[in-house]
Amino acid sequence: MRKLEDLQLLIANSVSELKYPAYPAELYEPISYILALGGKRMRPALLLMACDLFGGDVEAALPPALAIEVFHNFTLMHDDIMDNAPLRRGCITVHEKWNQNVGILSGDVMLIEGYKLMMQVRDNILRQVLDIFNATAVGVCEGQQLDMNFESSNNIGIAEYINMIRLKTAVVLGGALKIGALIGEADQKDADLLSVFGEQLGIAFQLQDDILDVYGNPEKFGKQVGGDIISNKKTYLLIKALELVKNEQATDLDNWLAAKDFDPAEKVAAVTEIYNHLNIRQYAENEMQAYAEKAFEALEKINLPEENKQYLRDFADGLLVREY
Amino acid sequence: MRKLEDLQLLIANSVSELKYPAYPAELYEPISYILALGGKRMRPALLLMACDLFGGDVEAALPPALAIEVFHNFTLMHDDIMDNAPLRRGCITVHEKWNQNVGILSGDVMLIEGYKLMMQVRDNILRQVLDIFNATAVGVCEGQQLDMNFESSNNIGIAEYINMIRLKTAVVLGGALKIGALIGEADQKDADLLSVFGEQLGIAFQLQDDILDVYGNPEKFGKQVGGDIISNKKTYLLIKALELVKNEQATDLDNWLAAKDFDPAEKVAAVTEIYNHLNIRQYAENEMQAYAEKAFEALEKINLPEENKQYLRDFADGLLVREY
């Protein structure tokens, strides 16, 4: 089994070798630009990992893995326009560096280029691979739309929230693993189970991200603690708190959410205090644990040598037990 | 052979039966909205026509034909954002009715839905059909980018212009015909020839459109005559005029192109006068005729019964001999 870091490196090198036409420059330069911004290349590495787990040819899985990365960066290019984001990975975004029209049209071409790469699989799995890719791509768009809707909505339930993060983040992990498994000649049942593993793990990972934003050690987490609280982001923690909070504390929380002019540290401390009082961290960890367990249940049912299963368990543990 | 009008009607009915999920509404309602705005449904009808010409099952070709129409409307949805257009076919555009983000994301989903429809072909032609669709889709995006670039560029050559209209308009006609031919079990050579026929005819048609904008009978043409002149649109006529014009007339033309405040009728008359002096209409008609001849040359080489070839000739004549 190849190490995940090695697969990530293989992807990084292959991404840098992707060549696009020189003309029209406004269409193709942004593609090379956004792909060169880096990132962990986790999604395509998972596709290669799945192929490797079933004894498949990792090199043969490279074009579909690159398809996942090109697709992911297409979503970033369009999301950055929609979110009006000035920076992506510390660099100026495409619509700011060129203009918005360039961001729209280059993104469109990236989606098509994603299909071209994804089609580089054996004829006997072409239709199924593309069906998975289509479903994944539609899911990501639905997730993005729901995420935008939630910004201006005040009564989102936990189930709706979980469905949103599933579509926006988790579906693509499940899809990448399933496609990799099929390229590795896994049978249908194992490919499905690996997809469930990825999707449920993805939900658990996103819930952990919500928890870490409030309770993470800033040195280990690498992000500003409390950023979600400051921006009123509808995370699991806030949605659960709004569901449980009562009386004066409900008024307090509403006031903090409505506040326009505030000291960020004071808001983070006050809202965290409300979360603590409502035991929100425990609820979130229980929910995260429930999805992690679903992932591990699927994993146990996959027909793979114990060594390969252990590899997947170690991968999941590494993903989920980030130090708080 | 089915009549083209009947095929257009079949498409119109099938488009109205396309169903999309109800949730999230902001993602899917715009798709149904733009598809319901109408249009001549010429591109998908051509796909059905090609299938019919080779004795294929027209009903089986419906999903890929709808793919072409959904794809075309995806390009319209994104083009309208890029062009800042308030109206499409007399109705409010998607980004105006909802908002820009909805227009971007719904368009993205339409492109994916186009792939889903295009995949509904026999396994043995799936890869080839998708290769054609990919090349067509990339071509349209390149054409749109070039068209936007030309707006702010002052030295476009005729060859560049022809390449732009080929990519933006003609490639999709060739692609639709080729896919239809393959579904109708045409052999490779005939499918290629029909594609050339469509692409060259598409260029001729676009050149005719440029001519009609200046020299068309407004009652028959159905558009404001001189619209391209008023907006300084870089058409074949203007590019050729800029290439040939000399001395005082060159200064005159430059002045009209630079004018901010002018009487539209006066500008149209003055620029048309320059075109007439330079014999631009004749140049344009010769160029159009040259592309039409290439289309007919390809047509003659196709291995089809004379009756079917006559059908294609009549179709091309109907498209090109619009009354001036």
Side-chain angles (χ1 to χ4, degrees):
Chain A
M1 301 279 297
R2 299 214 205 171
K3 283 190 200 157
L4 191 61
E5 304 89 82
D6 294 344
L7 297 174
Q8 288 170 288
L9 198 63
L10 178 59
I11 293 289
N13 290 335
S14 304
V15 164
S16 70
E17 283 164 19
L18 282 173
K19 290 282 172 284
Y20 292 98
Y23 178 85
E26 297 81 358
L27 198 60
Y28 291 111
E29 277 179 9
I31 301 181
S32 301
Y33 174 79
I34 196 168
L35 286 172
L37 294 184
K40 295 191 296 291
R41 318 292 191 190
M42 184 59 85
R43 292 162 189 78
L46 287 180
L47 190 152
L48 297 184
M49 182 184 90
C51 176
D52 196 30
L53 272 172
F54 288 95
D57 176 2
V58 167
E59 305 295 324
L62 260 176
L66 292 171
I68 291 286
E69 186 65 12
V70 169
F71 170 79
H72 175 58
N73 279 275
F74 139 72
T75 66
L76 298 181
M77 202 187 277
H78 278 190
D79 284 4
D80 283 343
I81 300 172
M82 293 188 261
D83 299 342
N84 213 1
L87 295 175
R88 159 73 53 195
R89 294 185 181 126
C91 295
I92 184 169
T93 45
V94 165
H95 64 279
E96 290 282 339
K97 187 174 164 73
W98 285 269
N99 58 55
Q100 182 185 277
N101 288 357
V102 161
I104 293 174
L105 204 54
S106 284
D108 291 346
V109 171
M110 284 188 93
L111 178 51
I112 303 163
E113 293 294 331
Y115 276 96
K116 283 163 73 172
L117 287 163
M118 191 54 87
M119 284 180 60
Q120 295 179 41
V121 294
R122 299 185 307 275
D123 280 350
N124 68 330
I125 57 170
L126 176 61
R127 185 179 295 277
Q128 195 186 355
V129 163
L130 290 178
D131 283 342
I132 298 165
F133 189 50
N134 285 334
T136 298
V138 166
V140 171
C141 291
E142 289 184 352
Q144 168 70 5
Q145 184 65 53
L146 292 175
D147 197 16
M148 292 195 296
N149 290 356
F150 288 1
E151 276 174 36
S152 54
S153 172
N154 284 318
N155 51 347
I156 299 145
I158 292 292
E160 274 178 289
Y161 176 72
I162 299 280
N163 186 46
M164 184 278 282
I165 60 176
R166 183 182 69 81
L167 290 165
K168 187 166 177 178
T169 315
V171 157
V172 91
L173 304 180
L177 285 169
K178 187 167 179 179
I179 290 170
L182 292 170
I183 295 169
E185 302 193 48
D187 72 19
Q188 194 61 50
K189 186 166 154 279
D190 288 332
D192 285 337
L193 286 166
L194 193 61
S195 173
V196 172
F197 167 76
E199 196 169 309
Q200 302 300 310
L201 191 65
I203 296 171
F205 182 76
Q206 191 58 51
L207 289 168
Q208 174 179 258
D209 215 54
D210 287 359
I211 299 169
L212 286 173
D213 193 86
V214 177
Y215 295 105
N217 176 338
E219 282 170 39
K220 311 230 170 177
F221 187 40
K223 274 203 236 178
Q224 178 193 23
V225 165
D228 288 347
I229 290 178
I230 293 167
S231 67
N232 289 346
K233 185 144 186 257
K234 303 254 171 38
T235 65
Y236 178 92
L237 284 71
L238 178 55
I239 295 166
K240 193 71 189 172
L242 286 167
E243 187 185 306
L244 297 176
V245 76
K246 279 181 193 157
N247 307 328
E248 305 98 84
Q249 222 163 23
T251 315
D252 272 5
L253 183 54
D254 283 345
N255 287 342
W256 278 115
L257 292 175
K260 297 276 172 225
D261 200 30
F262 55 82
D263 173 46
E266 198 185 338
K267 178 173 175 180
V268 171
V271 174
T272 304
E273 182 57 35
I274 297 173
Y275 287 175
N276 290 342
H277 183 259
L278 296 168
N279 220 4
I280 294 297
R281 181 176 176 169
Q282 195 58 54
Y283 281 104
E285 287 181 355
N286 290 350
E287 188 94 9
M288 180 189 101
Q289 207 49 50
Y291 284 99
E293 273 165 30
K294 287 185 203 180
F296 283 109
E297 273 169 33
L299 166 59
E300 293 313 319
K301 290 184 202 148
I302 301 175
N303 182 25
L304 273 176
E306 176 54 29
E307 184 196 355
N308 298 23
K309 285 194 189 185
Q310 191 55 45
Y311 180 103
L312 279 172
R313 278 185 217 112
D314 292 344
F315 163 69
D317 285 339
L319 213 61
L320 290 184
V321 189
R322 293 199 299 194
E323 289 182 61
Y324 289 26
Chain B
M1 300 281 295
R2 299 215 204 170
K3 283 189 199 157
L4 192 61
E5 305 87 84
D6 293 344
L7 297 174
Q8 287 171 287
L9 197 63
L10 178 59
I11 293 288
N13 290 334
S14 304
V15 164
S16 69
E17 283 164 17
L18 281 173
K19 290 282 172 286
Y20 292 97
Y23 177 86
E26 297 82 358
L27 198 60
Y28 291 110
E29 277 179 9
I31 301 181
S32 301
Y33 174 79
I34 195 168
L35 285 172
L37 293 183
K40 294 190 295 294
R41 318 293 189 188
M42 184 59 86
R43 292 162 190 79
L46 287 180
L47 191 151
L48 297 184
M49 182 184 91
C51 176
D52 196 30
L53 272 172
F54 288 95
D57 176 3
V58 167
E59 304 295 325
L62 260 176
L66 292 171
I68 291 286
E69 186 65 11
V70 169
F71 169 79
H72 176 57
N73 280 274
F74 139 72
T75 66
L76 298 181
M77 201 186 280
H78 278 191
D79 284 4
D80 284 343
I81 300 172
M82 292 187 261
D83 298 343
N84 213 2
L87 296 175
R88 159 74 53 196
R89 294 183 180 125
C91 294
I92 183 167
T93 44
V94 165
H95 64 278
E96 289 282 338
K97 186 174 164 73
W98 284 269
N99 58 56
Q100 181 184 277
N101 288 356
V102 161
I104 294 174
L105 204 54
S106 284
D108 292 345
V109 171
M110 284 188 94
L111 177 51
I112 304 162
E113 293 294 331
Y115 276 96
K116 284 163 72 173
L117 287 163
M118 192 53 87
M119 284 179 61
Q120 295 179 42
V121 294
R122 300 186 308 276
D123 280 350
N124 69 330
I125 57 169
L126 176 62
R127 186 179 295 276
Q128 196 186 357
V129 163
L130 290 178
D131 283 342
I132 299 165
F133 189 50
N134 286 334
T136 299
V138 166
V140 172
C141 291
E142 289 184 352
Q144 168 70 6
Q145 183 65 53
L146 293 175
D147 198 16
M148 292 194 296
N149 291 356
F150 289 0
E151 276 175 36
S152 54
S153 172
N154 284 318
N155 51 346
I156 299 146
I158 291 293
E160 275 178 289
Y161 176 72
I162 298 282
N163 186 46
M164 185 277 284
I165 61 176
R166 183 183 68 81
L167 290 165
K168 188 167 176 177
T169 316
V171 157
V172 94
L173 304 180
L177 285 170
K178 185 166 179 179
I179 290 170
L182 291 171
I183 295 170
E185 302 193 47
D187 71 19
Q188 193 61 51
K189 185 165 156 280
D190 288 331
D192 284 336
L193 286 167
L194 194 60
S195 173
V196 172
F197 167 76
E199 196 169 308
Q200 302 300 312
L201 191 66
I203 295 171
F205 182 76
Q206 190 58 50
L207 288 168
Q208 174 178 259
D209 215 54
D210 287 358
I211 299 169
L212 285 174
D213 193 86
V214 177
Y215 295 104
N217 176 339
E219 282 169 39
K220 311 229 170 178
F221 186 41
K223 273 203 237 180
Q224 178 195 23
V225 166
D228 289 347
I229 290 178
I230 293 167
S231 66
N232 289 346
K233 184 144 187 257
K234 304 257 171 34
T235 66
Y236 177 91
L237 285 71
L238 178 55
I239 295 166
K240 193 72 189 172
L242 286 168
E243 187 186 306
L244 297 176
V245 75
K246 278 182 192 157
N247 306 329
E248 304 99 84
Q249 223 164 22
T251 314
D252 271 5
L253 184 55
D254 283 344
N255 286 342
W256 277 114
L257 291 175
K260 297 277 172 225
D261 200 29
F262 55 82
D263 173 44
E266 198 185 337
K267 178 173 176 181
V268 171
V271 174
T272 303
E273 182 57 34
I274 297 173
Y275 287 175
N276 290 344
H277 183 260
L278 297 167
N279 220 5
I280 295 298
R281 182 176 176 168
Q282 195 58 53
Y283 281 103
E285 286 180 356
N286 290 350
E287 188 93 9
M288 181 189 100
Q289 207 49 49
Y291 284 99
E293 273 165 31
K294 288 185 203 181
F296 283 109
E297 273 169 34
L299 166 58
E300 293 312 319
K301 292 184 201 148
I302 301 176
N303 182 25
L304 271 176
E306 176 53 29
E307 183 197 355
N308 297 23
K309 285 194 189 183
Q310 192 54 46
Y311 179 103
L312 279 172
R313 279 185 215 110
D314 292 344
F315 162 70
D317 285 338
L319 213 59
L320 290 185
V321 189
R322 294 197 299 194
E323 289 182 61
Y324 289 27

mmCIF file of all heavy atoms in Angstrom, chain A residues 181-201:
data_model
loop_
_atom_site.group_PDB
_atom_site.id
_atom_site.type_symbol
_atom_site.label_atom_id
_atom_site.label_comp_id
_atom_site.label_asym_id
_atom_site.label_seq_id
_atom_site.Cartn_x
_atom_site.Cartn_y
_atom_site.Cartn_z
ATOM 1 N N ALA A 181 -12.174 2.697 -6.430
ATOM 2 C CA ALA A 181 -12.399 1.270 -6.187
ATOM 3 C C ALA A 181 -12.758 0.550 -7.487
ATOM 4 O O ALA A 181 -12.244 -0.539 -7.769
ATOM 5 C CB ALA A 181 -13.502 1.089 -5.138
ATOM 6 N N LEU A 182 -13.627 1.169 -8.285
ATOM 7 C CA LEU A 182 -14.039 0.535 -9.549
ATOM 8 C C LEU A 182 -12.855 0.413 -10.511
ATOM 9 O O LEU A 182 -12.716 -0.596 -11.206
ATOM 10 C CB LEU A 182 -15.176 1.329 -10.199
ATOM 11 C CG LEU A 182 -16.514 1.284 -9.443
ATOM 12 C CD1 LEU A 182 -17.492 2.282 -10.040
ATOM 13 C CD2 LEU A 182 -17.115 -0.134 -9.476
ATOM 14 N N ILE A 183 -12.019 1.437 -10.550
ATOM 15 C CA ILE A 183 -10.829 1.354 -11.399
ATOM 16 C C ILE A 183 -9.919 0.222 -10.908
ATOM 17 O O ILE A 183 -9.310 -0.491 -11.698
ATOM 18 C CB ILE A 183 -10.076 2.711 -11.416
ATOM 19 C CG1 ILE A 183 -10.954 3.773 -12.075
ATOM 20 C CG2 ILE A 183 -8.730 2.587 -12.136
ATOM 21 C CD1 ILE A 183 -10.440 5.191 -11.918
ATOM 22 N N GLY A 184 -9.879 0.041 -9.582
ATOM 23 C CA GLY A 184 -9.107 -1.052 -8.994
ATOM 24 C C GLY A 184 -9.801 -2.402 -9.083
ATOM 25 O O GLY A 184 -9.354 -3.361 -8.439
ATOM 26 N N GLU A 185 -10.888 -2.455 -9.817
ATOM 27 C CA GLU A 185 -11.640 -3.697 -10.045
ATOM 28 C C GLU A 185 -12.269 -4.280 -8.790
ATOM 29 O O GLU A 185 -12.442 -5.507 -8.664
ATOM 30 C CB GLU A 185 -10.786 -4.737 -10.786
ATOM 31 C CG GLU A 185 -10.293 -4.189 -12.127
ATOM 32 C CD GLU A 185 -9.707 -5.261 -13.041
ATOM 33 O OE1 GLU A 185 -10.343 -6.309 -13.218
ATOM 34 O OE2 GLU A 185 -8.606 -5.015 -13.575
ATOM 35 N N ALA A 186 -12.606 -3.417 -7.837
ATOM 36 C CA ALA A 186 -13.414 -3.857 -6.697
ATOM 37 C C ALA A 186 -14.770 -4.305 -7.220
ATOM 38 O O ALA A 186 -15.220 -3.837 -8.264
ATOM 39 C CB ALA A 186 -13.609 -2.698 -5.720
ATOM 40 N N ASP A 187 -15.435 -5.227 -6.499
ATOM 41 C CA ASP A 187 -16.784 -5.556 -6.962
ATOM 42 C C ASP A 187 -17.750 -4.472 -6.486
ATOM 43 O O ASP A 187 -17.419 -3.614 -5.675
ATOM 44 C CB ASP A 187 -17.201 -6.983 -6.565
ATOM 45 C CG ASP A 187 -17.475 -7.138 -5.090
ATOM 46 O OD1 ASP A 187 -17.703 -6.126 -4.400
ATOM 47 O OD2 ASP A 187 -17.449 -8.281 -4.613
ATOM 48 N N GLN A 188 -18.952 -4.522 -7.060
ATOM 49 C CA GLN A 188 -19.939 -3.463 -6.848
ATOM 50 C C GLN A 188 -20.214 -3.214 -5.368
ATOM 51 O O GLN A 188 -20.274 -2.079 -4.907
ATOM 52 C CB GLN A 188 -21.231 -3.868 -7.576
ATOM 53 C CG GLN A 188 -22.224 -2.758 -7.726
ATOM 54 C CD GLN A 188 -21.665 -1.610 -8.542
ATOM 55 O OE1 GLN A 188 -21.129 -1.813 -9.628
ATOM 56 N NE2 GLN A 188 -21.738 -0.407 -8.002
ATOM 57 N N LYS A 189 -20.367 -4.305 -4.615
ATOM 58 C CA LYS A 189 -20.733 -4.189 -3.203
ATOM 59 C C LYS A 189 -19.623 -3.482 -2.417
ATOM 60 O O LYS A 189 -19.898 -2.584 -1.611
ATOM 61 C CB LYS A 189 -20.986 -5.596 -2.636
ATOM 62 C CG LYS A 189 -21.509 -5.626 -1.223
ATOM 63 C CD LYS A 189 -22.056 -7.005 -0.849
ATOM 64 C CE LYS A 189 -21.997 -7.247 0.640
ATOM 65 N NZ LYS A 189 -20.659 -7.671 1.139
ATOM 66 N N ASP A 190 -18.380 -3.859 -2.673
ATOM 67 C CA ASP A 190 -17.267 -3.232 -1.960
ATOM 68 C C ASP A 190 -17.112 -1.759 -2.340
ATOM 69 O O ASP A 190 -16.808 -0.918 -1.487
ATOM 70 C CB ASP A 190 -15.964 -3.999 -2.236
ATOM 71 C CG ASP A 190 -15.947 -5.356 -1.538
ATOM 72 O OD1 ASP A 190 -16.602 -5.477 -0.485
ATOM 73 O OD2 ASP A 190 -15.302 -6.277 -2.058
ATOM 74 N N ALA A 191 -17.323 -1.479 -3.623
ATOM 75 C CA ALA A 191 -17.241 -0.081 -4.069
ATOM 76 C C ALA A 191 -18.309 0.757 -3.364
ATOM 77 O O ALA A 191 -18.044 1.880 -2.918
ATOM 78 C CB ALA A 191 -17.401 -0.001 -5.584
ATOM 79 N N ASP A 192 -19.519 0.208 -3.254
ATOM 80 C CA ASP A 192 -20.600 0.921 -2.556
ATOM 81 C C ASP A 192 -20.254 1.145 -1.088
ATOM 82 O O ASP A 192 -20.501 2.223 -0.543
ATOM 83 C CB ASP A 192 -21.911 0.127 -2.658
ATOM 84 C CG ASP A 192 -22.538 0.218 -4.040
ATOM 85 O OD1 ASP A 192 -22.245 1.197 -4.762
ATOM 86 O OD2 ASP A 192 -23.310 -0.683 -4.407
ATOM 87 N N LEU A 193 -19.721 0.114 -0.442
ATOM 88 C CA LEU A 193 -19.379 0.231 0.985
ATOM 89 C C LEU A 193 -18.283 1.273 1.196
ATOM 90 O O LEU A 193 -18.343 2.072 2.140
ATOM 91 C CB LEU A 193 -18.923 -1.129 1.529
ATOM 92 C CG LEU A 193 -20.040 -2.151 1.745
ATOM 93 C CD1 LEU A 193 -19.458 -3.553 1.957
ATOM 94 C CD2 LEU A 193 -20.927 -1.766 2.927
ATOM 95 N N LEU A 194 -17.306 1.292 0.295
ATOM 96 C CA LEU A 194 -16.233 2.278 0.432
ATOM 97 C C LEU A 194 -16.781 3.695 0.225
ATOM 98 O O LEU A 194 -16.346 4.653 0.882
ATOM 99 C CB LEU A 194 -15.110 1.980 -0.573
ATOM 100 C CG LEU A 194 -13.796 2.730 -0.330
ATOM 101 C CD1 LEU A 194 -13.189 2.378 1.025
ATOM 102 C CD2 LEU A 194 -12.790 2.452 -1.445
ATOM 103 N N SER A 195 -17.768 3.811 -0.642
ATOM 104 C CA SER A 195 -18.412 5.103 -0.864
ATOM 105 C C SER A 195 -19.139 5.569 0.406
ATOM 106 O O SER A 195 -19.038 6.731 0.804
ATOM 107 C CB SER A 195 -19.387 4.977 -2.036
ATOM 108 O OG SER A 195 -20.133 6.152 -2.181
ATOM 109 N N VAL A 196 -19.851 4.644 1.044
ATOM 110 C CA VAL A 196 -20.545 4.974 2.304
ATOM 111 C C VAL A 196 -19.506 5.386 3.357
ATOM 112 O O VAL A 196 -19.677 6.398 4.053
ATOM 113 C CB VAL A 196 -21.372 3.773 2.819
ATOM 114 C CG1 VAL A 196 -21.924 4.062 4.223
ATOM 115 C CG2 VAL A 196 -22.499 3.458 1.846
ATOM 116 N N PHE A 197 -18.425 4.628 3.446
ATOM 117 C CA PHE A 197 -17.336 4.963 4.369
ATOM 118 C C PHE A 197 -16.893 6.412 4.158
ATOM 119 O O PHE A 197 -16.806 7.205 5.100
ATOM 120 C CB PHE A 197 -16.169 3.993 4.141
ATOM 121 C CG PHE A 197 -14.877 4.395 4.804
ATOM 122 C CD1 PHE A 197 -14.690 4.232 6.176
ATOM 123 C CD2 PHE A 197 -13.836 4.943 4.051
ATOM 124 C CE1 PHE A 197 -13.497 4.608 6.777
ATOM 125 C CE2 PHE A 197 -12.642 5.317 4.648
ATOM 126 C CZ PHE A 197 -12.475 5.154 6.010
ATOM 127 N N GLY A 198 -16.630 6.775 2.912
ATOM 128 C CA GLY A 198 -16.136 8.115 2.612
ATOM 129 C C GLY A 198 -17.155 9.195 2.933
ATOM 130 O O GLY A 198 -16.813 10.246 3.478
ATOM 131 N N GLU A 199 -18.405 8.932 2.585
ATOM 132 C CA GLU A 199 -19.443 9.952 2.783
ATOM 133 C C GLU A 199 -19.694 10.190 4.277
ATOM 134 O O GLU A 199 -19.777 11.338 4.724
ATOM 135 C CB GLU A 199 -20.723 9.514 2.069
ATOM 136 C CG GLU A 199 -21.706 10.640 1.882
ATOM 137 C CD GLU A 199 -22.839 10.277 0.940
ATOM 138 O OE1 GLU A 199 -22.561 9.786 -0.178
ATOM 139 O OE2 GLU A 199 -24.008 10.463 1.315
ATOM 140 N N GLN A 200 -19.812 9.118 5.040
ATOM 141 C CA GLN A 200 -20.076 9.269 6.474
ATOM 142 C C GLN A 200 -18.868 9.882 7.178
ATOM 143 O O GLN A 200 -19.012 10.721 8.070
ATOM 144 C CB GLN A 200 -20.422 7.906 7.097
ATOM 145 C CG GLN A 200 -21.621 7.212 6.455
ATOM 146 C CD GLN A 200 -22.900 8.039 6.561
ATOM 147 O OE1 GLN A 200 -23.253 8.515 7.632
ATOM 148 N NE2 GLN A 200 -23.585 8.217 5.440
ATOM 149 N N LEU A 201 -17.679 9.459 6.771
ATOM 150 C CA LEU A 201 -16.466 10.039 7.353
ATOM 151 C C LEU A 201 -16.387 11.533 7.019
ATOM 152 O O LEU A 201 -15.971 12.349 7.861
ATOM 153 C CB LEU A 201 -15.245 9.309 6.786
ATOM 154 C CG LEU A 201 -13.903 9.592 7.458
ATOM 155 C CD1 LEU A 201 -13.901 9.094 8.894
ATOM 156 C CD2 LEU A 201 -12.764 8.926 6.664
#
